[in-house]
């Protein structure tokens, strides 16, 4: 009976710690802060050019091309983060996740491409990639070329210091069953 009570108390303490970490992360993350372009510099600017009160662009229709480009950017950024983020501890799960986002021809080349992302001599290697911005270089209803600027945080040893760098990823998308999938990809030097 004593061990059961002890187990319950330990479970409660672990749960409280986990909830505390989640709450700390939520309240300290930058994603919870609202920012506006063209912030006012004087009180008169704040009244006359209030971004909250200005909804003139909200009623403008979005063209089909703009919607397609936005959709292509989202698909490219999502892929860039998954493709660029890897660890020697989970290469197979990364491969499985990426196969859902690519064409059949690229899926066959994925293992070879992922090997190029990892240094050959490293016993441990991890990189976290964040898509910062994406630009559609060219597009038509069936295909798009998107350049994604990424921030990459590399770690060469467990618990070691990390190095942050920026790199562009060239992503060629094609429409399959009305969804964007990646047909070709390559890091810019």
């Amino acid at each position: 009976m004593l061990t059961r009570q002890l187990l319950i108390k330990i479970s409660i303490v672990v749960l409280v710690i986990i909830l505390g970490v989640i709450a700390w992360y939520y309240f300290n993350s930058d994603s919870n802060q609202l920012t506006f372009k063209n912030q006012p510099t004087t009180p008169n600017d704040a009244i006359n050019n209030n971004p909250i009160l200005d909804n003139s662009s909200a009623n403008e229709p979005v063209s089909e091309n703009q919607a397609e480009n936005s959709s292509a950017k989202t698909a490219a950024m999502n892929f860039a983060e998954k493709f660029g983020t890897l660890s020697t501890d989970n290469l197979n799960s990364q491969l499985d996740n990426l196969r859902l986002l690519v064409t059949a021809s690229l899926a066959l080349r994925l293992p070879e491409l992922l090997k190029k992302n990892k240094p050959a001599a490293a016993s441990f290697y991890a990189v976290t990639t964040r898509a910062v911005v994406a630009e559609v270089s060219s597009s038509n209803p069936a295909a798009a070329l998107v350049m994604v600027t990424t921030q990459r945080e590399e770690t060469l040893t467990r618990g070691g210091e990390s190095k942050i760098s920026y790199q562009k990823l060239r992503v060629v998308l094609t429409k399959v069953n009305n969804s964007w999938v990646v047909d070709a990809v390559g890091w810019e030097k």
Side-chain angles (χ1 to χ4, degrees), residues 18-33:
I18 290 172
L19 290 174
V21 168
I22 291 171
W24 177 83
Y25 177 79
Y26 178 77
F27 290 113
N28 289 325
S29 70
D30 292 336
S31 64
N32 295 329
Q33 298 176 6

Side-chain angles (χ1 to χ4, degrees), residues 108-145:
L108 295 173
R109 297 191 326 263
L110 274 177
E112 167 192 328
L113 291 171
L114 291 177
K115 284 180 185 174
K116 289 181 183 177
N117 285 348
K118 174 188 166 295
S123 62
F124 175 80
Y125 178 74
V127 61
T128 302
T129 301
R130 292 171 196 85
V132 179
V133 67
E135 286 189 35
V136 177
S137 299
S138 63
S139 69
N140 63 46
L145 170 62

Side-chain angles (χ1 to χ4, degrees), residues 1 6-7 71 76 88 107 124 128 131 136 164 172 177:
M1 189 67 172
L6 183 61
L7 183 61
S71 176
T88 51
F124 175 80
T128 302
V136 177
I164 294 179
V172 177
N177 295 330

